[in-house]
Amino acid sequence: MGLSDILNASKIKKENEQLKKLLTPELQNALNLQKKIDELTDKESELSKSIDEKNVVIEKQNNELSNLKEQVITFNDEILVQEYGLYQPRYSYLSSDKYKDRLSKIRTEQKELIKSSIAASGNTNWTVNNSKAQGKKMVKDTQKLLLRAFNSECDETIGKVKYNNFEASKKKIIKSAEQIQKLGNVLGISVSKEFIDSKIDELYLSFEYQLKKQEEKEKQRELRAQQREEAKLKKEIEEQRKKIEKEKKHYKQAMKNILDQIKANGESDELLLKKSELEKELGDIEISLKDIDYREANQRAGYVYVISNIGAFGDDVYKIGMTRRLNPQDRVDELGDASVPFKFDVHAMIFSDDAPSLESALHQAFENKKLNMVNTRREFFHVSLEEIKNVVKNNFDKTVEFVEFPDADQYRTSLKIKESLI
């Protein structure tokens, strides 16, 4: 800096100081305020720039998180139970053995795909130590390793498939194949679409195999229950027949004695009255025997029952079933065993010469009101007693007595006890 520059600077400084002396206190304050405003504006600009930079980072992290979420296939039972969709079957085999055979076949097909090098592709033009053979072997070994990993994950996924995680399992198989492709990207290794489709077919078959086995178990359970019912009915008939035959023998002997007395002593009012009473008893016994013969011969005769258990299932839930037992209440009592907290109450007990048809008519009328829409052998319906009455009236030509209000004595007493404890 020269002498003239120094002189000019000194001159400007003096002029500036003189001007400041001329400023009023108000103008001085305004000047200071403007200075502060300028400083704050600069800071705001810096903060805005910093916020913009951080928003860019946050957006980038959100994108990365979204990508990670897409890759994660959750098997949390609580989430899956809430979100699963209604399964649409791919196969419709009539027995679990058919599914088992098809599963065996598809696994054999998968082995053939692996043997014929169709299960996975790879770039075999690599060289290792200047050897194409070694390069090809390296690719093949890597293919085997990645296929083994893919198969293991598929086996684990298929082995755990359930009604609520089917879609998640399907996605997991596809994602697994995508991960294999990423791992083998350098060598051009990927799982073929044909092999992935085969694994998904195996998933469908495995799941439907489980469903069919469960269905068959339910049918077998129902068949065993029917067989037990038939055995109990047979035993009841035999015991009842023995009892009636014993009574018949007793009354026939009593009749013989009365007839011998009349023959020996002549007719009297007392003897004739006893004879009349015995004739009536023997007549009733003959009717009972005919009833027993009829129940034994007619496989469709029985009782349709309408029962409820408000302590277990609440109001307007009824079980509509059928039994051929001589005493239908025995069957109702069995249903109210330790598997439910309270015994069942009977609203109607309808004897019919064709009990299965009446039961079927009731079930069909309330098809869309079943509690269990999957297992058709569960006979509980959410329906009013008035609706049941109307269907019975339209399908049964005799008067039926209905109990409107269930006793539910143990349930109601339990409520009172709980109230007293509060």
Side-chain angles (χ1 to χ4, degrees):
M1 180 180 292
L3 180 62
S4 61
D5 292 332
I6 294 171
L7 292 172
N8 286 333
S10 177
K11 183 180 178 182
I12 291 169
K13 185 177 179 182
K14 286 181 180 180
E15 289 176 353
N16 190 33
E17 288 175 354
Q18 289 175 355
L19 286 171
K20 281 184 178 179
K21 290 178 181 179
L22 294 174
L23 290 174
T24 64
E26 290 80 5
L27 288 173
Q28 187 69 45
N29 289 337
L31 187 65
N32 292 334
L33 183 61
Q34 184 61 48
K35 185 178 179 181
K36 288 182 179 179
I37 289 172
D38 292 340
E39 290 174 355
L40 288 173
T41 301
D42 291 341
K43 287 183 179 179
E44 182 184 4
S45 178
E46 290 175 5
L47 283 172
S48 179
K49 184 180 178 182
S50 176
I51 289 170
D52 289 341
E53 290 173 352
K54 283 181 170 55
N55 282 337
V56 170
V57 173
I58 290 169
E59 187 177 357
K60 183 180 178 182
Q61 289 176 341
N62 283 338
N63 290 334
E64 290 176 357
L65 183 61
S66 296
N67 291 332
L68 287 171
K69 283 181 178 179
E70 288 179 4
Q71 294 177 27
V72 172
I73 306 297
T74 180
F75 272 79
N76 182 287
D77 285 340
E78 184 178 353
I79 295 172
L80 290 171
V81 166
Q82 292 172 355
E83 296 183 351
Y84 84 96
L86 189 62
Y87 178 79
Q88 297 296 326
R90 177 175 285 191
Y91 301 92
S92 299
Y93 296 139
L94 297 177
S95 70
S96 60
D97 287 339
K98 289 287 185 182
Y99 280 102
K100 191 175 181 180
D101 291 342
R102 185 70 185 92
L103 274 168
S104 178
K105 184 178 178 182
I106 203 168
R107 285 164 185 158
T108 301
E109 290 171 357
Q110 289 170 7
K111 289 177 183 177
E112 289 301 319
L113 289 173
I114 294 171
K115 285 181 182 178
S116 56
S117 300
I118 297 174
S121 60
N123 184 359
T124 56
N125 293 325
W126 283 82
T127 59
V128 175
N129 296 326
N130 294 322
S131 170
K132 284 189 175 182
Q134 289 185 28
K136 187 175 182 179
K137 183 177 183 302
M138 178 190 71
V139 173
K140 289 290 183 184
D141 288 345
T142 307
Q143 277 181 331
K144 288 178 183 178
L145 182 65
L146 294 178
L147 269 179
R148 189 176 298 162
F150 177 66
N151 276 327
S152 295
E153 189 153 0
C154 286
D155 288 345
E156 183 183 4
T157 302
I158 291 170
K160 293 179 179 178
V161 66
K162 297 188 295 184
Y163 75 97
N164 64 330
N165 68 12
F166 179 84
E167 287 300 324
S169 298
K170 188 175 174 181
K171 288 178 183 177
K172 192 171 183 181
I173 288 174
I174 295 169
K175 284 292 180 185
S176 178
E178 291 173 356
Q179 291 299 320
I180 293 296
Q181 187 169 348
K182 287 180 181 178
L183 290 170
N185 188 47
V186 175
L187 299 177
I189 296 172
S190 63
V191 182
S192 70
K193 184 178 183 301
E194 188 175 353
F195 195 67
I196 296 169
D197 289 344
S198 180
K199 285 296 182 183
I200 290 173
D201 277 345
E202 184 183 351
L203 180 73
Y204 274 95
L205 283 164
S206 182
F207 180 57
E208 291 181 29
Y209 175 52
Q210 290 179 39
L211 294 180
K212 183 57 69 173
K213 281 204 302 182
Q214 185 61 36
E215 181 186 327
E216 289 172 349
K217 282 182 181 178
E218 290 287 345
K219 285 181 179 178
Q220 287 296 320
R221 189 179 292 115
E222 183 185 15
L223 180 60
R224 288 193 296 270
Q226 288 176 351
Q227 290 172 342
R228 287 194 298 270
E229 277 286 286
E230 292 299 323
K232 288 175 182 177
L233 175 63
K234 184 179 179 182
K235 185 179 179 181
E236 285 178 359
I237 287 174
E238 289 174 354
E239 290 176 350
Q240 189 72 359
R241 190 185 296 281
K242 285 180 182 179
K243 180 182 176 182
I244 294 172
E245 289 287 357
K246 185 177 180 181
E247 289 178 354
K248 182 179 178 181
K249 184 178 179 181
H250 168 76
Y251 284 113
K252 283 185 76 173
Q253 183 60 47
M255 178 63 80
K256 182 178 180 302
N257 294 338
I258 290 294
L259 292 175
D260 288 344
Q261 289 181 45
I262 291 173
K263 186 177 180 179
N265 304 316
E267 293 180 347
S268 67
D269 291 342
E270 184 181 354
L271 290 174
L272 289 173
L273 179 60
K274 286 184 178 179
K275 179 187 174 186
S276 176
E277 290 173 350
L278 289 171
E279 285 173 344
K280 183 179 181 304
E281 292 290 346
L282 286 168
D284 290 343
I285 285 172
E286 288 301 325
I287 291 172
S288 296
L289 284 171
K290 286 180 181 178
D291 287 342
I292 288 291
D293 292 338
Y294 171 75
R295 294 296 302 278
E296 189 173 29
N298 188 352
Q299 297 294 313
R300 300 187 70 80
Y303 293 87
V304 172
Y305 54 80
V306 179
I307 58 178
S308 72
N309 193 324
I310 61 171
F313 307 111
D315 293 321
D316 290 336
V317 174
Y318 297 91
K319 178 173 173 61
I320 303 171
M322 186 204 80
T323 181
R324 293 189 63 236
R325 302 275 283 277
L326 296 180
N327 183 1
Q329 186 61 45
D330 290 345
R331 176 58 180 154
V332 175
D333 292 341
E334 289 171 2
L335 292 170
D337 62 9
S339 60
V340 287
F342 305 100
K343 65 180 182 179
F344 283 88
D345 290 288
V346 178
H347 292 269
M349 192 67 74
I350 311 163
F351 179 79
S352 172
D353 295 326
D354 192 359
S357 293
L358 177 58
E359 180 195 40
S360 178
L362 285 161
H363 287 182
Q364 288 176 14
F366 307 126
E367 180 74 20
N368 63 339
K369 296 189 176 183
K370 289 177 183 173
L371 263 64
N372 189 334
M373 301 298 287
V374 178
N375 188 340
T376 57
R377 288 169 290 281
R378 303 294 181 179
E379 303 168 330
F380 288 91
F381 303 86
H382 196 290
V383 64
S384 70
L385 194 60
E386 197 62 36
E387 289 175 284
I388 297 174
K389 285 183 189 178
N390 291 334
V391 176
V392 171
K393 185 178 179 181
N394 293 332
N395 290 275
F396 194 66
D397 58 359
K398 297 176 184 176
T399 303
V400 178
E401 292 289 334
F402 277 89
V403 176
E404 297 281 346
F405 191 72
D407 286 340
D409 53 343
Q410 292 182 358
Y411 168 64
R412 299 184 198 283
T413 303
S414 296
L415 289 180
K416 290 294 182 183
I417 293 172
K418 287 179 181 179
E419 289 175 5
S420 69
L421 295 174
I422 296 175

